[in-house]
């Protein structure tokens, strides 16, 4: 088991003196290898708070988070070492500028490994490997990260986390601000990394197309509570869409539109999905 939440809650004190409960009574287990998870929910539903518990940037106010065997709670030992956990669970922030600060891409990528006592020669070798893994070549290593495009900056920030060789990779809104082609290229990159390394990948997203096309498992947060943990294809029922204020992926929007258009003909059909596409095919021909 990689990460386990047991009755985890965390709240923030408001200016008025009250307590805003960001996450409440979260129970979930995440495997160390082989999962491709999307974490979704409205703004303010608790997604960022939850993932910051996953790599020990936050610790529970109540309940317990276990990260690769290390138990974190309000009453944990003061000398508990947290940095090794942050190496095992790498978090890529939504805005790459938060992670890029060195004068060259190479220095940015090797900063993390060197901070974890990896010899410089080995750190440089890792940089050469991960820069290719994220779809760039070694010529980028000598470039300034601040002269790169938005998509290239995202790739370099991912490379910097991969160079620390985390077991689990968390990506916060990695496709925000990208056009559809840029989004698909980046998601294909994550899937390629997932398939080549078997690392568990967790993607925070508002994009239902990403959820439907890429995820093998979906977690839904609503007002701080985990309300769904399951398969993406079973998520998009009408009741779930209404209750959790979610949208449909494009393909299901199209299917719904076509079903409404051909409703009368389909009502006589024993296999509505199959016959729906036959009707569309006939019309196109």
């Amino acid at each position: 088991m990689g990460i386990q939440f047991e009755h985890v809650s965390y709240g923030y004190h408001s200016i008025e003196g009250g307590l805003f409960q960001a996450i409440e009574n979260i129970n979930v287990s995440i495997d160390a290898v082989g999962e491709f998870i999307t974490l979704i929910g409205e703004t303010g539903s608790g997604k960022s708070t939850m993932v910051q518990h996953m790599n020990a940037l936050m610790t529970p106010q109540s309940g317990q988070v276990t990260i690769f065997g290390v138990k974190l709670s309000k009453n944990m030992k003061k000398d508990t070492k947290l940095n090794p956990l942050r190496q095992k669970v790498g978090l890529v922030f939504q805005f790459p500028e938060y992670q890029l600060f060195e004068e060259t891409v190479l220095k940015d990528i090797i900063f993390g490994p060197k901070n974890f006592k990896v010899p410089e020669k080995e750190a440089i070798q890792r940089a050469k490997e991960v820069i290719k893994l994220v779809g760039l070549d070694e010529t980028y290593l000598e470039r300034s990260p601040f002269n790169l495009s938005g998509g290239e900056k995202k790739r370099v920030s991912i490379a910097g986390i991969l160079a620390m060789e985390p077991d689990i990779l968390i990506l916060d809104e990695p496709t925000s601000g990208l056009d559809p082609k840029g989004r698909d290229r980046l998601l294909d990159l994550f899937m390629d990394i997932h398939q080549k390394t078997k690392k568990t990948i967790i993607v925070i997203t508002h994009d239902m197309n990403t959820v439907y096309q890429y995820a093998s498992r979906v977690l839904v947060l609503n007002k701080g509570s985990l309300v769904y943990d399951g398969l993406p294809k079973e998520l998009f029922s009408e009741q779930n869409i209404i209750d959790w204020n979610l949208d449909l992926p494009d393909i299901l929007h199209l299917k719904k539109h076509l079903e409404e258009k051909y409703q009368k003909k389909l009502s006589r059909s024993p296999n509505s999905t199959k016959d729906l596409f036959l009707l569309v095919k006939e019309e196109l021909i």
Side-chain angles (χ1 to χ4, degrees):
M1 189 64 62
I3 302 171
Q4 185 172 20
F5 283 63
E6 297 174 88
H7 306 290
V8 175
S9 297
Y10 191 94
Y12 300 94
H13 291 284
S14 66
I15 298 175
E16 295 81 11
L19 186 69
F20 169 70
Q21 203 67 46
I23 55 174
E24 187 168 11
N25 196 32
I26 300 292
N27 293 279
V28 69
S29 296
I30 295 169
D31 289 337
V33 294
E35 297 211 74
F36 198 110
I37 298 170
T38 52
L39 175 61
I40 64 175
E42 293 182 279
T43 300
S45 61
K47 301 186 298 297
S48 294
T49 300
M50 184 172 173
V51 298
Q52 288 181 69
H53 278 77
M54 291 182 185
N55 80 334
L57 286 177
M58 289 181 168
T59 54
Q61 290 174 341
S62 64
Q64 177 177 277
V65 178
T66 304
I67 305 173
F68 290 92
V70 179
K71 301 181 185 299
L72 306 179
S73 67
K74 186 177 181 179
N75 301 316
M76 68 185 185
K77 293 180 181 179
K78 291 183 179 180
D79 61 351
T80 302
K81 296 184 184 300
L82 300 180
N83 269 348
L85 302 180
R86 293 167 189 154
Q87 183 179 14
K88 286 182 173 291
V89 183
L91 174 58
V92 180
F93 292 103
Q94 179 178 354
F95 303 105
E97 290 80 8
Y98 292 172
Q99 291 177 228
L100 304 177
F101 52 86
E102 290 283 6
E103 59 187 21
T104 68
V105 168
L106 176 63
K107 288 183 178 180
D108 249 317
I109 294 175
I110 68 175
F111 178 85
K114 287 179 68 177
N115 194 45
F116 287 109
K117 311 303 180 186
V118 174
E120 184 169 354
K121 185 176 180 180
E122 182 181 340
I124 291 173
Q125 182 57 39
R126 288 189 190 183
K128 292 177 179 179
E129 293 170 0
V130 296
I131 199 70
K132 294 174 185 175
L133 193 59
V134 300
L136 302 175
D137 59 56
E138 288 187 26
T139 62
Y140 279 84
L141 294 175
E142 298 307 319
R143 295 175 63 178
S144 167
F146 306 107
N147 293 332
L148 303 178
S149 69
E152 289 168 339
K153 286 178 180 178
K154 285 180 184 287
R155 288 171 184 259
V156 170
S157 64
I158 294 164
I161 298 298
L162 288 174
M164 294 190 289
E165 299 185 343
D167 294 283
I168 294 176
L169 181 64
I170 304 173
L171 302 132
D172 187 358
E173 294 284 359
T175 61
S176 63
L178 298 179
D179 58 42
K181 284 186 178 180
R183 177 200 65 195
D184 290 344
R185 281 196 296 266
L186 203 56
L187 288 166
D188 288 341
L189 166 66
F190 301 149
M191 183 57 70
D192 188 52
I193 291 171
H194 171 66
Q195 292 172 343
K196 286 179 178 177
T197 66
K198 308 303 179 186
K199 294 181 188 296
T200 283
I201 292 181
I202 303 169
V203 178
I204 304 174
T205 185
H206 285 95
D207 180 19
M208 296 302 108
N209 294 317
T210 297
V211 174
Y212 194 76
Q213 290 177 244
Y214 292 90
S216 58
R217 179 183 176 191
V218 187
L219 305 177
V220 181
L221 283 175
N222 182 253
K223 298 178 181 178
S225 296
L226 184 64
V227 294
Y228 183 88
D229 179 356
L231 298 172
K233 291 187 178 180
E234 295 175 1
L235 169 64
F236 297 105
S237 70
E238 184 175 357
Q239 194 60 49
N240 289 346
I241 298 297
I242 295 170
D243 289 347
W244 304 328
N245 198 26
L246 302 176
D247 198 4
L248 287 170
D250 291 343
I251 187 66
L252 295 186
H253 266 303
L254 176 61
K255 182 173 181 288
K256 183 179 179 182
H257 170 75
L258 293 174
E259 285 174 340
E260 290 171 353
K261 181 176 180 179
Y262 296 105
Q263 186 175 16
K264 288 184 179 179
K265 291 182 179 180
L266 288 171
S267 64
R268 301 191 297 270
S269 170
N271 189 341
S272 60
T273 301
K274 180 180 178 181
D275 286 339
L276 170 63
F277 289 103
L278 288 174
L279 287 168
V280 174
K281 184 180 177 180
E282 287 175 8
E283 195 166 291
L284 291 175
I285 294 172

